[in-house]
Amino acid sequence: MEAVGFIPSSQHLVQTNKTVTWASPSNIALVKYWGKYDPQIPANPSISFTLNHCNTKTSVTLVDQSMLSDTSTGAFSFEFSFEGAPKPDFHPKIASFFARVFDYLPFLKTYHLVINSENTFPHSSGIASSASAMAALSLCLLELSDEFPPNDQNVFSEAFYAKASFLARLGSGSAARSISGPLMQWGKTPGFKASQDLVAVPFNKVLAPIFKNFQDTILLVDKGEKVVSSTVGHGLMKDHPFAKARFQQAHDQLALLTEALVSGDMETFISVVESEALTLHAMMLTSSPYFILMKPGTLSIIEKIWNFRKNTALPVCFTLDAGANVHLLYPEMHKVQVLQFIENELVAYCQNGQYICDQVGSGSISHTVQP
Ligand code: DP6
């Protein structure tokens, strides 16, 4: 698949003053994307669980430039509100996203967009919202383009979701994986023929029953701004002394994890997932300049999880994204015991005692009100 394949062959009819709405979930990578090339091509393959409750809901209204004030230049423009208030801080990231997607959504160039967005998870929780936000925005734009209209039952085609993932990737790499669920794979890898660098694709094998409704409890260790953004961190992999070995390791770990996801081999699942989390942070510790996103509470929680696993033999493990928060992953059948463990031993390390209970979900949902 080539990027040019996503340029529409003809201009589609668009309906002005139409509002579309999508809710897209966040996702948590099990094999991590860390390192990329232009334009948003991953240096290694990744796979993630799509979450269920942590969502961004976005509405976009298409306004014809002729409806705007006399001062309008007629060129593309947008206004953006987050949770009911204008959010100029988000403008640069959204503007650079639009610059990247114009070729693939040419209808945009003559419109004004009114974008309203909200998150279901606490605003400053340290949970990256760029994945869910860029996924929801991409789905809205693609629905407005009318390039792939839904069928009579309002079901969108595979081609619609593939292009949405392609667009979302151009906003934020991990957003490519927030389109569908429950497991999404992104980045070409020899063991999986359908894998692609330009779009994320659903994991096409039958998941072992133990992963059904798999739980992710996010322990909010630090809710502050990250000292180094993911985008800068990806850039530091360019001249990283361990880059080549790391990129190869991601292919190898993905192959191992794929087998474990099918067989239900929890030992392998746990060792790959925890190794991926620690390798991600090891890359940060050994970048030039080096940096640390974990906090003391992150390490204390990891130690407690290891002790709990040893003492109870329950298959719980952790992963980390590019931050200090810890994602505790475990099968649904152990929910009661694990939540008790969190309350007894882990809450003390969470900022204001906060954590979020989520689980694996099935992907983005349209909330567009049909006429
Ligand atoms: C550590 O997708 O946030 O969460 O493409 O620059 O927007 P950009 O980066 P982003 O990176 C996510 C990195 C990660 C691992 C992962 O989700 O695979």
Side-chain angles (χ1 to χ4, degrees):
M1 194 184 292
E2 303 268 333
V4 288
F6 290 99
I7 299 175
S9 47
S10 59
Q11 179 81 50
H12 300 269
L13 277 182
V14 288
Q15 299 166 43
T16 41
N17 291 323
K18 184 175 175 183
T19 300
V20 297
T21 305
W22 280 83
S24 291
S26 185
N27 69 74
I28 181 67
L30 304 172
V31 171
K32 309 289 180 180
Y33 147 57
W34 200 243
K36 62 177 167 180
Y37 312 107
D38 253 356
Q40 293 284 99
I41 300 299
N44 64 260
S46 59
I47 189 165
S48 55
F49 275 138
T50 303
L51 297 183
N52 196 34
H53 307 311
C54 291
N55 280 289
T56 298
K57 192 173 180 185
T58 297
S59 295
V60 182
T61 307
L62 199 60
V63 182
D64 197 296
Q65 292 284 350
S66 63
M67 308 286 285
L68 300 175
S69 69
D70 295 346
T71 53
S72 163
T73 59
F76 171 78
S77 55
F78 69 91
E79 56 193 82
F80 176 76
S81 294
F82 183 70
E83 290 173 359
K87 209 58 178 149
D89 314 6
F90 289 10
H91 272 230
K93 184 139 189 165
I94 301 173
S96 70
F97 165 70
F98 279 121
R100 285 182 185 156
V101 300
F102 275 142
D103 283 350
Y104 307 103
L105 298 169
F107 79 96
L108 282 178
K109 289 180 188 151
T110 51
Y111 286 97
H112 175 77
L113 298 183
V114 180
I115 309 168
N116 285 293
S117 205
E118 62 191 40
N119 285 346
T120 55
F121 45 97
H123 172 37
S124 54
S125 57
I127 300 183
S129 58
S130 59
S132 52
M134 289 300 174
L137 181 57
S138 300
L139 286 157
C140 287
L141 299 178
L142 195 56
E143 184 177 351
L144 284 171
S145 83
D146 241 10
E147 190 182 342
F148 304 99
N151 68 12
D152 296 346
Q153 276 82 47
N154 211 27
V155 175
F156 289 90
S157 61
E158 244 178 67
F160 172 87
Y161 287 109
K163 182 159 175 180
S165 176
F166 173 87
L167 297 172
R169 187 197 97 243
L170 294 172
S172 180
S174 52
R177 301 187 310 240
S178 272
I179 298 296
S180 308
L183 261 171
M184 295 292 283
Q185 195 166 331
W186 172 44
K188 194 103 202 90
T189 191
F192 181 27
K193 267 207 189 124
S195 61
Q196 305 261 354
D197 283 341
L198 300 182
V199 300
V201 293
F203 184 71
N204 69 347
K205 299 188 167 59
V206 179
L207 259 186
I210 196 158
F211 295 110
K212 194 171 175 282
N213 299 331
F214 216 63
Q215 304 289 302
D216 178 7
T217 301
I218 309 162
L219 303 156
L220 303 178
V221 174
D222 187 68
K223 305 196 285 170
E225 276 279 304
K226 287 188 278 193
V227 285
V228 177
S229 72
S230 291
T231 303
V232 171
H234 286 293
L236 294 176
M237 287 305 285
K238 284 214 171 79
D239 300 312
H240 198 291
F242 307 138
K244 198 168 168 233
R246 160 59 197 154
F247 299 149
Q248 182 54 47
Q249 180 202 31
H251 288 274
D252 300 344
Q253 304 246 67
L254 181 57
L256 278 175
L257 188 73
T258 301
E259 281 178 27
L261 287 165
V262 173
S263 68
D265 169 0
M266 288 307 290
E267 213 172 297
T268 303
F269 176 85
I270 289 171
S271 76
V272 170
V273 168
E274 292 191 344
S275 159
E276 279 293 312
L278 295 176
T279 303
L280 168 70
H281 284 260
M283 292 300 110
M284 300 175 192
L285 297 173
T286 49
S287 291
S288 176
Y290 46 77
F291 59 105
I292 304 179
L293 297 183
M294 292 183 288
K295 297 281 179 197
T298 313
L299 295 181
S300 301
I301 290 176
I302 292 174
E303 272 199 315
K304 292 270 179 193
I305 294 170
W306 284 345
N307 283 335
F308 178 76
R309 191 162 74 223
K310 200 166 152 215
N311 296 335
T312 62
L314 292 182
V316 295
C317 66
F318 72 86
T319 189
L320 308 168
D321 59 16
N325 297 334
V326 180
H327 290 247
L328 188 57
L329 303 174
Y330 51 98
E332 192 190 27
M333 67 180 110
H334 302 305
K335 199 171 169 176
V336 174
Q337 277 157 291
V338 176
L339 288 177
Q340 196 61 59
F341 161 59
I342 292 171
E343 279 296 325
N344 293 348
E345 297 195 46
L346 305 185
V347 147
Y349 303 103
C350 298
Q351 215 176 331
N352 306 326
Q354 273 184 293
Y355 58 91
I356 297 173
C357 294
D358 209 338
Q359 65 177 49
V360 171
S362 52
S364 300
I365 295 176
S366 169
H367 289 262
T368 302
V369 179
Q370 296 303 331

